[in-house]
Amino acid sequence: MEELPADVAAFVDAHLVDRRNSNAVKWDGLKEEFGRDDLLPMWIADTEFKAPQAVLDALTARVQEGTFGYSIRPQSYYGAFINWQKERHGVTVEPEWMRFGVGVVKSLYAMVNWLTDPGDPVLIMQPVYYPFMNAIKDLGRRVVSVDLQLTADGWRMDFDQLEKTLATTHIKAMILCSPHNPVGRIWTRDELTRLFTITSQHDITVVSDEIHGDLEVSGPKFTSALQVAEGKARQNLVVLNAPSKTFNLAALLNSHIIIPDENLRAKYDDFIKQLHPVDTSLMGQVAGEAAYRHGAAWLDQVLQVVRYNYRQLLDGLAQAAPKATVADLQGTYLAYVDIGAYVAPDHVKAFVEGICGLAVDYGAWFSPKTATYIRLNLATDPKLVAKAITRLTEHLSQPQL
Ligand SMILES: Cc1ncc(COP(=O)(O)O)c(C=O)c1O
């Protein structure tokens, strides 16, 4: 395996934190989820890297100011986010389109609640981030999945099946994952255009969860739904994103709800006032602004670490377990690995935890059809990733499996 480039190694040394005993779900929540705390944690989508120094400085300055009374979101926050979107992705966002939340998943619940009625079907594309299913089911709606298809060219949307489903089922709302967790795809402009053409013909409101949009590891550049959806599709569009995944700020609870259409926005405002939710976390907003202003170089280094770890994973598997497959890691740091050539679906958990000593997100959580998959978090110490790969490959290559 190639060496970690010197600048990336220096970044890792300077930013790596031992998160044990810090109440990190990924480390200190092992026992609760897996019943034991000695597993190597490759699950949960956050990282072991300290946030950008500018974020730490901004938070420290805010703490030193010393008062924590009721607070507004300053215009400078909008400026920092809007500028980031423009410079990093070429996406235009107007300040008046923005609403706020304290987490994308919390906003997903609000969206399902707002856009549909109990009993209604909500469209998703499995395998997908399991809180999508939870939100739909917890609110008494019905999951309708037009499953993604694994083709010779990787994971693709199934437009034929989509048309067939929409011909027979009246769908009001769809939750899109873009980029897609867990299959890693950055949807191309063509794919998104085709999708929005179909959804607009059926008058479907699309909630596009773009929380992974900044995590461009490989493949096409990220395209936001805001760049593609026009006409009726734009009138029926909500985009959710946040600085949390990008800059490792999840517990600071700060996320965005972007609704470009004035009428839809007014309807959202009308709905949400009944819930009167908390929509601003002071520290999250301070951290987010600093990150958008000064965090680009930090993010570029994290992405280098992820690319390196992805190459480690591909090399390790190619050598010791060549029949394992890894989804193309385009727009996330979460690798979706199929070990089904070696391990039967009902043995995956015993193999991963009992034999390899790893904690992962299981494919079965994302779709019953991907029960032989495991999702590995690659935004961490390359040495930790190397250890996980060794444990996995050592045992996958055992003939007795
Ligand atoms: C697609 C997707 N949406 C939302 C989230 C979580 O967002 P939040 O912590 O803001 O609720 C994640 C976290 O992994 C995710 O992958």
Side-chain angles (χ1 to χ4, degrees):
M1 180 68 201
E2 78 200 86
E3 291 229 344
L4 193 61
D7 62 325
V8 185
F11 173 86
V12 170
D13 284 348
H15 290 83
L16 201 59
V17 174
D18 180 352
R19 297 173 70 204
R20 268 170 291 216
N21 304 317
S22 70
N23 300 326
V25 174
K26 189 174 173 185
W27 294 84
D28 301 325
L30 283 170
K31 182 119 187 157
E32 189 173 331
E33 179 64 41
F34 299 96
R36 48 191 279 202
D37 52 18
D38 59 343
L39 302 173
L40 211 59
M42 306 302 291
W43 66 313
I44 296 273
D46 63 18
T47 95
E48 277 51 68
F49 300 122
K50 256 190 222 181
Q53 188 58 43
V55 170
L56 307 182
D57 291 344
L59 289 170
T60 304
R62 190 65 191 75
V63 168
Q64 274 170 357
E65 192 272 342
T67 66
F68 303 98
Y70 299 115
S71 175
I72 55 167
R73 190 178 294 264
Q75 284 308 315
S76 56
Y77 183 91
Y78 292 81
F81 171 71
I82 286 168
N83 195 44
W84 172 270
Q85 286 295 327
K86 182 102 247 145
E87 301 225 316
R88 192 102 189 163
H89 303 298
V91 176
T92 301
V93 178
E94 298 295 342
E96 59 271 22
W97 300 353
M98 296 185 72
R99 300 292 182 266
F100 299 93
V102 287
V104 168
V105 171
K106 286 177 194 67
S107 293
L108 280 174
Y109 275 72
M111 294 300 143
V112 172
N113 210 337
W114 168 39
L115 296 168
T116 64
D117 295 305
D120 278 349
V122 180
L123 183 68
I124 55 174
M125 293 179 169
Q126 290 178 331
V128 76
Y129 182 54
Y130 37 89
F132 286 19
M133 281 77 93
N134 295 343
I136 296 167
K137 289 181 190 160
D138 288 348
L139 289 160
R141 276 65 168 173
R142 249 180 334 113
V143 170
V144 171
S145 175
V146 172
D147 292 348
L148 297 176
Q149 296 301 319
L150 183 56
T151 71
D153 291 326
W155 288 92
R156 292 288 181 271
M157 293 186 196
D158 187 342
F159 291 109
D160 292 341
Q161 190 55 41
L162 181 63
E163 303 258 28
K164 277 188 202 144
T165 302
L166 296 181
T168 55
T169 313
H170 175 55
I171 301 274
K172 295 178 189 163
M174 167 181 189
I175 311 174
L176 171 68
C177 199
S178 175
H180 194 98
N181 171 13
V183 308
R185 281 295 318 279
I186 293 178
W187 303 119
T188 62
R189 194 173 271 267
D190 285 351
E191 287 170 307
L192 290 172
T193 303
R194 196 163 168 200
L195 176 68
F196 280 107
T197 304
I198 297 171
T199 57
S200 65
Q201 280 160 359
H202 292 268
D203 215 9
I204 295 170
T205 301
V206 177
V207 178
S208 183
D209 176 343
E210 302 187 352
I211 197 169
H212 292 265
D214 294 321
L215 303 171
E216 296 169 293
V217 173
S218 69
K221 263 204 68 61
F222 168 64
T223 301
S224 169
L226 292 166
Q227 291 164 289
V228 171
E230 287 172 356
K232 203 156 173 203
R234 197 174 185 78
Q235 288 162 17
N236 287 329
L237 175 66
V238 178
V239 170
L240 305 178
N241 65 22
S244 51
K245 206 93 356 204
T246 311
F247 299 109
N248 204 22
L249 308 173
L252 292 183
L253 305 181
N254 174 44
S255 62
H256 309 140
I257 299 152
I258 303 171
I259 308 178
D261 183 75
E262 196 180 344
N263 286 330
L264 193 65
R265 216 162 48 233
K267 287 185 189 154
Y268 171 76
D269 289 342
D270 239 24
F271 165 80
I272 207 72
K273 73 182 176 204
Q274 302 163 33
L275 304 184
H276 200 68
V278 177
D279 70 356
T280 297
S281 140
L282 168 62
M283 287 314 196
Q285 167 235 297
V286 167
E289 178 171 344
Y292 285 127
R293 273 191 205 292
H294 307 292
W298 180 96
L299 174 60
D300 290 340
Q301 291 287 4
V302 169
L303 293 175
Q304 290 290 72
V305 177
V306 175
R307 290 184 191 111
Y308 177 84
N309 285 337
Y310 180 47
R311 290 197 295 275
Q312 288 202 74
L313 177 65
L314 294 179
D315 286 359
L317 290 174
Q319 278 168 32
K323 286 190 254 164
T325 60
V326 186
D328 199 12
L329 194 72
Q330 297 184 346
T332 178
Y333 51 67
L334 307 164
Y336 212 38
V337 182
D338 183 9
I339 55 173
Y342 301 95
V343 187
D346 55 1
H347 191 52
V348 169
K349 191 172 163 65
F351 172 75
V352 170
E353 290 170 37
I355 299 180
C356 302
L358 299 176
V360 304
D361 285 61
Y362 290 109
W365 296 353
F366 301 89
S367 162
K369 294 184 189 151
T370 55
T372 57
Y373 284 68
I374 55 175
R375 197 195 72 175
L376 301 174
N377 181 340
L378 300 182
T380 189
D381 184 4
K383 293 198 188 83
L384 185 80
V385 175
K387 207 163 156 183
I389 295 168
T390 304
R391 287 191 188 184
L392 200 59
T393 51
E394 225 170 58
H395 297 294
L396 282 177
S397 57
Q398 295 297 311
Q400 74 266 20
L401 273 177

